[in-house]
Amino acid sequence: PLSPQEHGLDFQRLLDASAYKETYRQDMIRWGEEKRRADPGFFCRTVVEGAVQPVWVVSDTRRLSDVEWFRDVYGDAVQTVRVVATEETRKRRNWVFVTGVDDAESECGLDQGVAFDWVITNDGDELSLDEQLETLLRSLRGQL
């Protein structure tokens, strides 16, 4: 939560799908782009600071450079996870496409060119989601 702290924003409210988040979303993207231009590994290092893990499940990176950073630093201990939902499902969850935001690299930079280790579908079918997550967890436990 670095930028929210620097700018006096409510970090918890930025995590939901509220109008509050949307008010600051483009500014947050710009701030993030500035940080990445200055230091491509900035966010990755911040996230892992002080943590030691036998397996890294990387599920919410925003850029190919993030995925590459984790793979370069942690090698085979990294498992990349992409969570997908149909546009219809996303709209039912109150998502509304915003030009200049939802088509920016911060939102779709990993839509092509990345071979994810896992793709989890989250379209509202809890049984299916639970089965997918259980398969992922069994695999991770096998690597410990």
Side-chain angles (χ1 to χ4, degrees), residues 33 36 40-41 44 58 60-73 78 80 82 104-116:
E33 295 301 324
R36 278 189 175 81
C44 297
V58 180
D60 193 26
T61 60
R62 297 297 176 142
R63 307 282 188 303
L64 179 57
S65 61
D66 295 342
V67 173
E68 290 170 342
W69 186 90
F70 273 95
R71 287 180 174 160
D72 288 347
V73 172
V78 173
T80 55
R82 180 172 180 102
E105 184 182 8
S106 64
E107 298 301 317
C108 56
L110 296 176
D111 287 353
Q112 298 177 28
V114 178
F116 289 91

Side-chain angles (χ1 to χ4, degrees), residues 84-103:
V84 298
T86 64
E87 191 168 318
E88 178 181 303
T89 297
R90 295 171 74 198
K91 286 179 180 177
R92 277 197 317 267
R93 294 175 178 155
N94 298 319
W95 172 77
V96 176
F97 181 87
V98 176
T99 302
V101 174
D102 291 305
D103 53 358

Side-chain angles (χ1 to χ4, degrees), residues 27-87:
D27 290 335
M28 296 292 290
I29 291 169
R30 270 191 297 279
W31 177 84
E33 295 301 324
E34 290 171 13
K35 289 291 189 186
R36 278 189 175 81
R37 274 192 296 279
D39 177 3
F42 174 80
F43 291 104
C44 297
R45 279 192 312 283
T46 299
V47 168
V48 302
E49 188 175 309
V52 177
Q53 302 297 327
V55 176
W56 287 92
V57 178
V58 180
S59 65
D60 193 26
T61 60
R62 297 297 176 142
R63 307 282 188 303
L64 179 57
S65 61
D66 295 342
V67 173
E68 290 170 342
W69 186 90
F70 273 95
R71 287 180 174 160
D72 288 347
V73 172
Y74 295 107
D76 292 338
V78 173
Q79 292 288 296
T80 55
V81 179
R82 180 172 180 102
V83 179
V84 298
T86 64
E87 191 168 318

